[in-house]
Amino acid sequence: WAVEGGKPAPAAAAAVEARFLGEYRRHVAAVERPLATGDAEVALASSPFRWRRFLSDEEVDAIHDVGREAMEAGGAVEDRSAWGQPAGTWRVAYLNEGGVFDR
């Protein structure tokens, strides 16, 4: 910061305030947007289940490849980073964007 008389210079202070305001607006938009993933009460009441070897190593690798391609393409990616996290910390890739799994 540029300092004038022990206080941040007005331009520096305005830049910092603008950055924080931008982060706050991003947080509000993320928090206020409803998740369209299903019934939250049912999801919260359910227990996790792990089915070992449900997919082969090759199938898991293929899913990882599709996810990486979706992230690189950008069209099927949404930033859902929480308040206080840098943008891009939590990115969601919708893997069936554009019918990638259609046969």
Side-chain angles (χ1 to χ4, degrees), residues 2-3 5 18 28 37-38 45 57 59 61 68-69 84 89 94:
V3 177
V28 169
T37 57
D57 290 341
E59 290 169 318
D61 289 341
R68 190 168 22 280
E69 290 171 13
T89 300
Y94 299 95

Side-chain angles (χ1 to χ4, degrees), residues 8-34:
V16 170
E17 185 176 347
R19 183 172 55 92
F20 283 120
L21 185 57
E23 281 295 305
Y24 174 73
R25 286 183 178 142
R26 188 174 66 85
H27 163 70
V28 169
V31 170
E32 289 180 349
R33 182 176 47 208

Side-chain angles (χ1 to χ4, degrees), residues 50-62:
R50 181 172 182 174
W51 187 349
R52 293 189 184 277
R53 310 308 302 167
F54 176 71
L55 300 173
S56 70
D57 290 341
E58 293 79 18
E59 290 169 318
V60 171
D61 289 341

